[in-house]
Amino acid sequence: MSRTLLLGAVAYDPKVVTIWTGFRSWFRERGLDLDYVLYSHYERQVEDLLASRIDLAWNSPLAWIRAERLARARGLDLRTVAMRDTDRDLTSVIVVRAEGNLHSPADLRGRTVATGAIDSPQATLLPLALLRGHGVDPGADVDLLRFDVGVGLHGDHIGGERDAASALLAGRADAACLIDANLLLFGRDGTLPSASVRVLAQTEPYDHCNMSVGPGADQALVDRFGELLLSMSYADDSARPLLDLEGLKEWLPGRTDRYAALDSAVTDTGFYLPDGTLGADDYRP
C-alpha cells in the first residue's frame, strides 16, 4: 500500500488545516499514506472527485447529491465509507418569536422568513421544502430574507443562520430557518435569549456530511482507510483533539438513505439539474 490516498476537504475555517494535517499524521503512523487537498467551495471538489483527481471527498449533504447526480449521468457508481456520529438524524426548524400569534406554517403567508445562505441544506433548502409541504410557496406566499454568508460552503460553519436568527429577534423577519443544533447554540450564546422563540415547524430527520469515495479510488486503500477511520477512539489521546475539532466522538459507517428529502428539495428548486449541472441562476460559489 505505497500509493498515496488523496482526500479533498473544503476550507470553511482555518482549523481545517489543523484537522487534516493531524489526520494525515495519524494515518501515516498506521501505515496508510494519506494526503489532502483543500478547496474553496464544494462544486470544484465534487467535480475533481468525479474526474478522479482526488480519491475521497469530505462532502456536505448537498455535495453528495450533486456527486451522485454527476456519477449517474456518467454511468459511474459512488459510495460513502463513513460519517460522523453527529451527522446522523438531524432536523431543521422554523422558529418564530415566542410572544407572537403565528401557530402554523400557513400563518406565515404574507410574512417574512429569514434563511441562511442559498446553498445551505439545513437553513434554506430543507426548511423551505417543509413550507412547500404545508402548502406555502416560498417566494410567492412569503417574502424571503436570505443571508448569503459563505456561499459555496453549503451552509458549513453556521452559514448565515446567526444573521437569520438576529433578524427574527430584531423584528426584521417573522420566522427564521435553523438547524436544531444551532437553535441550541444560539440559546447558549445569547443570540436567541432563553424563551425568546418557539418552534413553529420541524423537518423529518436527515443526515449531514459523509466521506464519499470517487470512482477511480483504489478499493484496497479505501477499505484500509475505512477500517482505520472507524477504529479511531475518543479514548486515544492522539485522536481525541482531532475528533473534538471535527465535532464528533465516533466515526460510523456511511449511509445514504437519509438524503431523500434534500434530493427532492434540489429537484423542486432546480438547484442542480438531473445530470448534476448547476441549475440555480443566482448561485455563484
Side-chain angles (χ1 to χ4, degrees):
M1 290 190 178
S2 59
R3 180 177 174 271
T4 299
L5 193 66
L6 191 58
L7 180 148
V10 169
Y12 67 88
D13 186 275
K15 71 178 182 179
V16 171
V17 176
T18 303
I19 291 169
W20 291 110
T21 298
F23 272 88
R24 179 178 62 183
S25 297
W26 190 90
F27 276 96
R28 287 181 171 180
E29 288 168 2
R30 286 152 184 83
L32 182 64
D33 189 8
L34 178 73
D35 206 351
Y36 67 91
V37 177
L38 295 183
Y39 291 85
S40 61
H41 59 77
Y42 279 103
E43 308 312 328
R44 190 178 304 279
Q45 175 171 291
V46 167
E47 290 161 7
D48 279 4
L49 180 69
L50 268 294
S52 297
R53 286 187 280 268
I54 55 176
D55 301 303
L56 300 161
W58 183 222
N59 269 337
S60 76
L62 187 59
W64 168 258
I65 296 297
R66 186 182 184 212
E68 195 174 41
R69 291 185 179 207
L70 286 169
R72 188 164 54 244
R74 301 174 189 182
L76 302 172
D77 292 322
L78 290 183
R79 67 183 177 97
T80 173
V81 68
M83 58 187 9
R84 300 169 298 187
D85 52 357
T86 48
D87 284 311
R88 291 189 170 194
D89 297 321
L90 310 179
T91 66
S92 290
V93 293
I94 301 173
V95 298
V96 296
R97 289 185 292 278
E99 76 281 1
N101 60 354
L102 302 174
H103 302 288
S104 73
D107 294 336
L108 291 175
R109 288 191 175 91
R111 306 295 187 114
T112 298
V113 176
T115 74
I118 183 175
D119 57 342
S120 172
Q122 61 267 20
T124 304
L125 291 165
L126 285 167
L128 294 186
L130 178 62
L131 284 183
R132 285 194 297 273
H134 285 274
V136 180
D137 185 1
D141 297 329
V142 301
D143 292 324
L144 296 180
L145 179 59
R146 198 174 74 209
F147 290 95
D148 279 332
V149 176
V151 173
L153 303 182
H154 294 185
D156 281 352
H157 201 51
I158 298 182
E161 291 177 62
R162 192 183 303 277
D163 293 322
S166 297
L168 171 63
L169 202 63
R172 296 174 55 206
D174 301 290
C177 302
L178 314 169
I179 195 170
D180 53 4
N182 280 338
L183 176 61
L184 295 175
L185 171 64
F186 297 160
R188 292 195 299 268
D189 69 14
T191 301
L192 293 174
S194 177
S196 62
V197 299
R198 52 185 168 81
V199 174
L200 184 73
Q202 188 167 22
T203 68
E204 292 296 317
Y206 58 86
D207 286 350
H208 210 261
C209 298
N210 74 57
M211 189 69 73
S212 307
V213 182
D218 183 312
Q219 291 307 309
L221 283 176
V222 171
D223 289 345
R224 180 58 179 154
F225 171 83
E227 290 171 6
L228 287 171
L229 193 66
L230 295 176
S231 76
M232 290 187 86
S233 171
Y234 198 72
D236 179 354
D237 290 342
S238 66
R240 189 184 311 114
L242 302 174
L243 297 176
D244 283 338
L245 282 172
E246 189 54 38
L248 72 153
K249 294 290 193 296
E250 180 184 13
W251 289 101
L252 297 174
R255 65 184 189 185
T256 60
D257 59 330
R258 297 295 179 92
Y259 296 124
L262 180 58
D263 190 60
S264 294
V266 167
T267 297
D268 291 344
T269 59
F271 193 91
Y272 297 132
L273 301 183
D275 64 357
T277 56
L278 300 182
D281 291 336
D282 51 350
Y283 175 51
R284 292 293 179 270

